[in-house]
Amino acid sequence: MNFKKIEKKWQKIWEEEGIYKNYQRPKKFYVLDMFPYPSGEGLHVGHSRGYIATDVIARYKLMNGYSVLHPMGWDAFGLPAENYALKNKIHPKIAVDKNIKTFKKQLEKFGFTYDWEKEINTTDSNYYKWTQWIFLQLFKCGLAYESFEPINWCPSCKTGLANEDLEDGKCERCGSEIEKKPLRQWVLKMTAYAEKLLDGLRDLDWPESIKEQQRNWIGRSEGAEIEFRIKNLELRFKVFTTRLDTIFGCTYLVVAPEHEIIKDLELRIENLGEVKKYIDETKKKSEIQRMDLAKEKTGVELKGVKAINPFSAEGGSASGGNNEEIPIYVADYVLGHYGTGAVMAVPAHDERDWEFAKKYNLPIKCVIKPYVYPVNLNKHPQSDDEFWGQKNPELNKILSGEIFYNKDGNLIDSGQFTEMNLEKAREKMAKWLEENKFGSRKINYKLRDWVFSRQRYWGEPIPIIKCEKCGNVPVLEKNLPVKLPNVKSYEPTGTGESPLANIKKWVNIKCPKCGGLAKRETNTMPQWAGSSWYYLAYLIKKNKKYEWNKKEIKKWLPVNLYVGGVEHATRHLLYARFWHKFLYDIKVVSAKEPFKKLMNQGLILAEDGRKMSKRWGNVVNPDDIIKIYGADTLRLYEMFMGPFDQAIMWNTDGVRGMHRFLQRVYKLVQNFHAYRQAGKFEVESYNAKFKNDKLETLLHQTIKKITEDIENFRFNTAISSLMILFNEIEHANSAPSRSLSSRFGNANAPMRIEYFKTFLKLLSPFAPHLSEEFWSDLTSDSDNGRIKYKSIHREKWPKYNPKLIKEKQFELVIQINGKLRDKVSVPTGISQKEAEKIVLKRQKISEELVGEKIKKIIFVQNRLINIVI
Ligand code: ANZ
Ligand code: ZN
């Protein structure tokens, strides 16, 4: 079997005939792969796992009569491409072009259904013209703004980064420790979409873990902002709390070292020197270090100033105990940019506050009493917590503040709110707060706006012109794209300026508004820009350009199935949803979400159990496998190796096993040929003669199984049932000269060619080349050449006949007190409950049971049921 020749031949024919381009069918299916960043290393077998899966689905959907869109492209801007180019001393453009060629060559060998006419490349100026256009729309809507706040700075990549680009406080790209650096930067107002991004998750058919990661990243917290007055001053400042119910337990306030109030209070703070020293020290710490629960808490009191708890002044603090002035501390465990950068500390009910209070000897005031039963006679304990409260041996420790308590209970010592449960208290207190104008309910998000500029060369130029008179002026849309100038030296400068700033000819330009001298923005966009809308780009590509074509967009969106790695949970998948929701609001798209269903592929580990990496020298290149075993073997193997979404080790023996399987299929085709030559080939008569035999039942069962398996991403079990079916077909057909009856009927009977043809159809999404080759062998009419050959990939997906799929049955023995009374045929695997239902309804049994009391029923699976009376 010369699979190399076979695969090449069909790839060429498919391409020439464009057999997958059935875009006019009424039902559509858009199946999308996360497009690759074309790295210098090329594709490895881990990448192709997802691509093969989407190709199987694409082929399956095509055979089911859908218009299928299955495109591919290149995500080629950004730091990785630029760092690669710098390291190898070639211009990023040249490196990218070269890598794309390699990737494409590799992909073509798999025989995928891609429509290469729709190929996109984010670094093509026709493409990024529209990336820039979207930026301009964001700018015009006030969603792109300039900011000067300190941002994450990677000293090694010499660029600012977004929060999403960090991993444990380090640069996701190079692992360097991140610094905070004040820098002029462009920021996209992603927070304006926090609620929509959260809401939209509800209806998405995505893995729950990914949705949860996005929810946590967005980090919605419902709470309140409370205004605290500074004693003897007209100053007020706000804290954010999710636990308004604990306000009567607030014994001090804490502000972040970055908080403005410290400046405002400078004249009042008696220990200003100490405070400033503390603030300087915090600057050396990363956010992760500051948030670390295990770290010892530090802080300094702002001596000479006090705050007043608004709930103590008015509102009837019945206890009166909350009337005192409370001290203010600066401490780095409070973050500057979350909430209001200030917290009310409740040491009795919050762990961090408790530790801080212990260390600095601050009062700890318990305001929540765990439910105690039966003290509160009206209330039965309803949860574990309540029970726990009842028997709580720690009760006195909680009440005295010796330990902190962060569970449920009723308020104590909380003025008019005493005795309320916590939820009710939060509600009433928020009302009180709003009525007395001391604050309001507030929802906060952890999500930050997206730091969108990079001080690097290899990215889309930000289409803004900076004019001294007019400020930031958008480039006129008709002047897009702003092309990235071709330069020799593109190393990052490290000064916070992009290398583009040195290209005077490019930078200096007339202001589009006033005509005066102006300069171009020299920052570029981050690597996530181009991928934030690429699924749309495929739809509107026309000849080499892009035109917004609402009809196409409406037809294809949302993407029905999106497949890729889990590592994109909070970056690409969030950014793309954000842009999509914005494009929805400006009526460019009409679907609310871009990706309806998401599936993650599991990692393929190397044979040594480690991650495939150049460093370990354990990377398996698909080219090498295809060269020896062919693409179909590789495709089948990767789908067979294990559950699709789970990590699994590569195993070359498994590849060989798959290859042997295909060889056997080939051999059977040879047998059919022998039959045909011998004139024993009675295709027509077969149908009538061989209805309802066991093989036919198996065939229909297999069709059902594979159909359901493909729909549910169970490719591995689909392939194993395909193999079982093949074994039986092979058995029934393999020996043309054999006269004894084989397992399934008579070997002298005409070949079961129709069964085999159905088998080939089921095989075709997985092994498209060989199934096509065998199909053409069996179906093209060699005698008169009248019948034009029709590709197997244009065949209809086989349908099963439900009547033929008999469930396997067995004789269930029915005993009463251990004696045989009856038998009944039931499906194998029947449960005790179902069996009882059937058995007790049987006349013979029900008669025996009249007036008897059933003591128990013993059930032995797939054997007997014994009723003890
Ligand atoms: C009083 C209180 C009592 C709190 C209590 C908690 C428990 P999430 O859910 O993350 O939104 N907080 C507010 N702003 C903060 C900041 N900038 N840095 C560090 N901590 C901050 O958490 C909100 C809670 O975290 C707020 O509720 C506040 O402490 C603290 F028993 O207020 B809480
Ligand atoms: Zn101007």
Side-chain angles (χ1 to χ4, degrees):
M1 179 172 69
N2 190 344
F3 52 81
K4 248 189 253 170
K5 220 172 108 194
I6 296 171
E7 290 179 356
K8 274 238 172 67
K9 173 178 87 184
W10 288 113
Q11 282 164 13
K12 196 159 159 266
I13 295 176
W14 295 336
E15 176 69 30
E16 280 165 8
E17 302 206 351
I19 63 163
Y20 309 120
K21 292 183 198 171
N22 299 313
Y23 296 138
Q24 301 313 321
R25 297 172 175 179
K27 289 190 296 182
K28 69 97 185 179
F29 196 83
Y30 185 0
V31 50
L32 184 68
D33 299 283
M34 288 187 187
F35 68 156
Y37 151 67
S39 74
E41 269 120 74
L43 205 68
H44 71 56
V45 290
H47 305 121
S48 48
R49 193 178 189 185
Y51 304 155
I52 297 169
T54 53
D55 199 57
V56 169
I57 303 259
R59 290 175 180 282
Y60 165 78
K61 288 288 175 184
L62 276 165
M63 291 174 86
N64 277 287
Y66 286 80
S67 288
V68 174
L69 181 60
H70 186 211
M72 188 38 95
W74 318 105
D75 185 17
F77 262 139
L79 280 182
E82 187 173 333
N83 286 345
Y84 171 85
L86 282 170
K87 200 171 138 214
N88 294 286
K89 300 217 166 16
I90 29 174
H91 193 279
K93 172 142 184 48
I94 297 171
V96 158
D97 284 349
K98 189 174 144 245
N99 294 347
I100 286 178
K101 275 211 185 81
T102 313
F103 262 69
K104 197 169 171 184
K105 242 199 200 140
Q106 286 185 295
L107 286 177
E108 278 170 344
K109 290 185 187 159
F110 282 87
F112 291 138
T113 49
Y114 301 144
D115 181 350
W116 285 113
E117 263 170 40
K118 298 200 184 291
E119 176 182 359
I120 57 168
N121 174 348
T122 54
T123 66
D124 164 12
S125 60
N126 286 328
Y127 181 98
Y128 68 69
K129 169 182 175 179
W130 294 104
T131 315
Q132 291 173 334
W133 181 84
I134 296 171
F135 178 89
L136 284 185
Q137 308 314 306
L138 285 158
F139 178 79
K140 286 173 189 166
C141 293
L143 292 167
Y145 63 95
E146 240 182 339
S147 154
F148 298 86
E149 270 175 59
I151 58 155
N152 308 309
W153 173 263
C154 172
S156 160
C157 292
K158 296 186 176 130
T159 184
L161 295 172
N163 275 3
E164 286 83 3
D165 293 325
L166 310 190
E167 245 163 42
D168 295 336
K170 296 194 174 107
C171 173
E172 181 264 337
R173 272 286 134 211
C174 70
S176 307
E177 201 70 52
I178 290 301
E179 298 165 2
K180 283 276 174 195
K181 182 165 170 165
L183 203 64
R184 181 185 70 82
Q185 79 228 244
W186 283 95
V187 183
L188 300 187
K189 211 168 185 163
M190 186 149 70
T191 51
Y193 279 82
E195 198 62 41
K196 284 182 180 173
L197 287 168
L198 198 62
D199 259 6
L201 286 174
R202 215 174 308 132
D203 303 323
L204 294 181
D205 184 5
W206 285 21
E208 201 40 53
S209 64
I210 301 275
K211 290 210 247 184
E212 195 54 25
Q213 280 183 64
Q214 289 213 348
R215 273 185 212 115
N216 290 338
W217 191 261
I218 297 166
R220 184 183 196 271
S221 285
E222 248 175 72
E225 276 184 3
I226 312 170
E227 270 190 354
F228 281 76
R229 192 161 51 83
I230 306 269
K231 192 189 161 197
N232 296 334
L233 280 180
E234 271 311 294
L235 270 177
R236 289 173 163 217
F237 75 107
K238 288 181 183 167
V239 306
F240 171 69
T241 179
T242 47
R243 293 296 307 278
L244 182 56
D245 48 305
T246 63
I247 180 109
F248 285 83
C250 165
T251 53
Y252 61 102
L253 300 180
V254 190
V255 297
E258 299 87 348
H259 204 289
E260 289 172 349
I261 192 97
I262 299 173
K263 271 223 176 68
D264 299 339
L265 289 172
E266 269 190 3
L267 295 174
R268 297 275 174 153
I269 299 173
E270 289 161 5
N271 55 340
L272 191 63
E274 194 191 356
V275 169
K276 282 194 160 164
K277 191 166 155 250
Y278 180 77
I279 294 173
D280 279 345
E281 276 162 19
T282 356
K283 286 191 182 136
K284 293 183 207 135
K285 292 191 201 168
S286 74
E287 205 160 280
I288 303 275
Q289 286 169 331
R290 283 172 59 172
M291 303 239 297
D292 189 351
L293 263 181
K295 272 262 158 67
E296 196 181 321
K297 307 281 167 294
T298 61
V300 176
E301 185 180 354
L302 307 183
K303 290 203 174 122
V305 282
K306 296 276 186 217
I308 309 239
N309 184 337
F311 278 76
S312 68
E314 282 119 292
S317 155
S319 69
N322 205 252
N323 243 326
E324 76 254 8
E325 302 151 3
I326 44 183
I328 307 173
Y329 278 74
V330 53
D332 63 12
Y333 77 88
V334 173
L335 301 176
H337 62 62
Y338 183 63
T340 61
V343 307
M344 61 176 222
V346 186
H349 305 297
D350 179 84
E351 184 173 4
R352 287 174 304 180
D353 298 343
W354 187 86
E355 279 175 15
F356 192 86
K358 275 280 168 207
K359 180 166 171 184
Y360 294 102
N361 234 337
L362 291 156
I364 299 175
K365 186 187 163 205
C366 175
V367 289
I368 302 170
K369 192 176 177 187
Y371 292 129
V372 179
Y373 182 79
V375 171
N376 184 348
L377 284 169
N378 299 325
K379 198 167 184 315
H380 237 285
Q382 309 225 320
S383 64
D384 286 353
D385 276 348
E386 291 180 33
F387 264 114
W388 187 69
Q390 166 193 174
K391 298 181 241 151
N392 194 347
E394 313 272 28
L395 188 60
N396 286 328
K397 285 188 187 167
I398 292 170
L399 295 177
S400 66
E402 204 178 313
I403 55 174
F404 70 90
Y405 178 71
N406 56 10
K407 294 178 180 166
D408 220 349
N410 284 331
L411 284 186
I412 50 173
D413 274 346
S414 296
Q416 68 191 60
F417 307 98
T418 302
E419 283 292 311
M420 284 182 193
N421 71 44
L422 305 185
E423 211 179 306
K424 184 169 170 202
R426 276 198 287 276
E427 185 50 41
K428 295 273 181 216
M429 284 173 166
K431 223 165 151 198
W432 184 93
L433 208 58
E434 281 163 0
E435 274 164 11
N436 292 282
K437 305 210 159 42
F438 276 114
S440 60
R441 280 166 246 245
K442 168 91 185 171
I443 292 165
N444 259 327
Y445 300 92
K446 296 253 156 40
L447 187 73
R448 301 287 96 203
D449 282 342
W450 178 6
V451 174
F452 195 68
S453 44
R454 300 290 178 271
Q455 293 67 46
R456 299 282 299 237
Y457 169 69
W458 192 237
E460 302 87 342
I462 291 177
I464 293 286
I465 290 166
K466 308 184 80 69
C467 169
E468 276 192 9
K469 240 167 73 197
C470 315
N472 287 323
V473 183
V475 170
L476 295 175
E477 282 182 19
K478 69 171 166 62
N479 290 335
L480 293 179
V482 177
K483 283 197 186 169
L484 186 63
N486 209 348
V487 292
K488 286 220 174 65
S489 156
Y490 49 87
E491 279 84 1
T493 61
T495 58
E497 287 272 12
S498 151
L500 291 178
N502 293 329
I503 313 169
K504 296 279 169 307
K505 253 175 82 186
W506 184 79
V507 169
N508 294 320
I509 187 168
K510 268 190 199 155
C511 169
K513 223 172 179 175
C514 70
L517 283 180
K519 284 185 189 313
R520 282 192 191 279
E521 170 61 66
T522 56
N523 281 337
T524 54
M525 297 187 195
Q527 76 200 71
W528 308 104
S531 60
S532 292
W533 72 283
Y534 79 108
Y535 57 93
L536 260 165
Y538 290 124
L539 310 178
I540 59 168
K541 191 175 178 205
K542 206 172 166 197
N543 304 319
K544 296 198 162 141
K545 300 205 166 178
Y546 298 84
E547 278 166 34
W548 291 104
N549 180 336
K550 289 210 171 161
K551 235 179 94 195
E552 284 293 296
I553 293 173
K554 196 168 170 170
K555 172 177 175 187
W556 289 105
L557 287 187
V559 171
N560 297 78
L561 174 66
Y562 195 23
V563 176
V566 288
E567 66 276 14
H568 295 296
T570 52
R571 275 178 285 182
H572 161 59
L573 286 172
L574 199 61
Y575 293 148
R577 290 186 61 225
F578 162 43
W579 276 31
H580 187 91
K581 290 199 171 291
F582 168 68
L583 292 174
Y584 175 83
D585 286 348
I586 62 166
K587 303 203 159 46
V588 172
V589 298
S590 50
K592 280 196 170 173
E593 286 282 338
F595 317 119
K596 187 88 194 115
K597 181 182 170 89
L598 176 75
M599 276 301 290
N600 294 125
Q601 82 232 31
L603 220 55
I604 294 186
L605 302 167
E607 228 154 358
D608 58 11
R610 285 192 284 199
K611 220 174 140 162
M612 283 194 191
S613 155
K614 217 174 158 188
R615 185 153 43 129
W616 310 120
N618 57 7
V619 177
V620 181
N621 185 332
D623 296 356
D624 298 335
I625 304 295
I626 291 174
K627 211 191 288 169
I628 307 172
Y629 302 104
D632 280 357
T633 297
L634 178 60
R635 290 174 60 116
L636 265 175
Y637 171 67
E638 285 206 33
M639 291 297 94
F640 183 64
M641 64 194 302
F644 179 71
D645 60 351
Q646 282 166 36
I648 191 130
M649 259 195 290
W650 181 263
N651 176 353
T652 307
D653 280 342
V655 180
R656 285 189 204 108
M658 215 34 95
H659 192 61
R660 277 195 298 273
F661 170 64
L662 288 174
Q663 297 275 17
R664 274 166 56 202
V665 180
Y666 173 69
K667 212 166 147 207
L668 191 64
V669 177
Q670 300 305 305
N671 280 351
F672 282 129
H673 276 310
Y675 262 96
R676 175 144 57 182
Q677 243 111 61
K680 284 196 180 180
F681 214 44
E682 293 173 46
V683 177
E684 296 309 323
S685 60
Y686 127 89
N687 268 335
K689 278 189 199 160
F690 294 96
K691 270 265 172 269
N692 280 326
D693 66 3
K694 280 190 185 168
L695 185 53
E696 190 171 31
T697 302
L698 179 69
L699 183 78
H700 284 264
Q701 281 169 340
T702 310
I703 295 171
K704 178 170 190 278
K705 174 92 171 83
I706 293 179
T707 305
E708 289 166 1
D709 279 355
I710 290 180
E711 293 271 2
N712 293 297
F713 274 75
R714 295 187 299 252
F715 307 110
N716 53 334
T717 53
I719 293 170
S720 54
S721 32
L722 201 57
M723 289 169 136
I724 292 170
L725 174 67
F726 178 75
N727 286 346
E728 301 305 349
I729 294 177
E730 187 184 47
H731 212 94
N733 291 297
S734 59
S737 59
R738 204 164 49 166
S739 56
L740 290 171
S741 73
S742 75
R743 208 172 346 161
F744 288 117
N746 188 334
N748 274 331
M751 294 298 293
R752 309 298 177 75
I753 187 75
E754 291 304 316
Y755 292 172
F756 184 68
K757 278 164 70 179
T758 304
F759 163 82
L760 284 181
K761 286 186 205 166
L762 297 172
L763 177 71
S764 70
F766 299 96
H769 306 90
L770 292 179
S771 52
E772 181 84 311
E773 175 76 8
F774 302 156
W775 181 260
S776 82
D777 261 7
L778 297 174
T779 59
S780 53
D781 196 323
S782 59
D783 291 338
N784 52 28
R786 262 186 321 169
I787 302 166
K788 202 175 170 270
Y789 163 70
K790 186 172 157 230
S791 167
I792 191 168
H793 304 303
R794 294 206 146 158
E795 288 294 315
K796 285 214 169 67
W797 186 250
K799 280 209 164 54
Y800 62 88
N801 179 349
K803 279 188 209 135
L804 285 175
I805 304 176
K806 288 170 255 152
E807 275 179 286
K808 283 206 183 106
Q809 304 261 326
F810 76 100
E811 293 267 282
L812 178 72
V813 171
I814 307 170
Q815 301 174 334
I816 292 177
N817 284 349
K819 285 187 196 114
L820 177 70
R821 282 287 179 281
D822 198 2
K823 275 185 189 171
V824 59
S825 177
V826 294
T828 22
I830 190 171
S831 70
Q832 171 160 2
K833 242 192 181 155
E834 288 169 282
E836 281 175 18
K837 249 197 234 157
I838 295 171
V839 167
L840 296 177
K841 264 195 215 136
R842 290 181 73 80
Q843 198 179 351
K844 210 167 160 194
I845 301 299
S846 58
E847 275 168 13
E848 294 246 5
L849 291 179
V850 173
E852 300 288 350
K853 201 176 157 226
I854 300 175
K855 279 200 193 130
K856 68 178 172 186
I857 296 179
I858 299 160
F859 179 70
V860 183
Q861 176 124 57
N862 292 342
R863 274 192 51 206
L864 63 82
I865 190 163
N866 180 14
I867 303 162
V868 183
I869 50 177

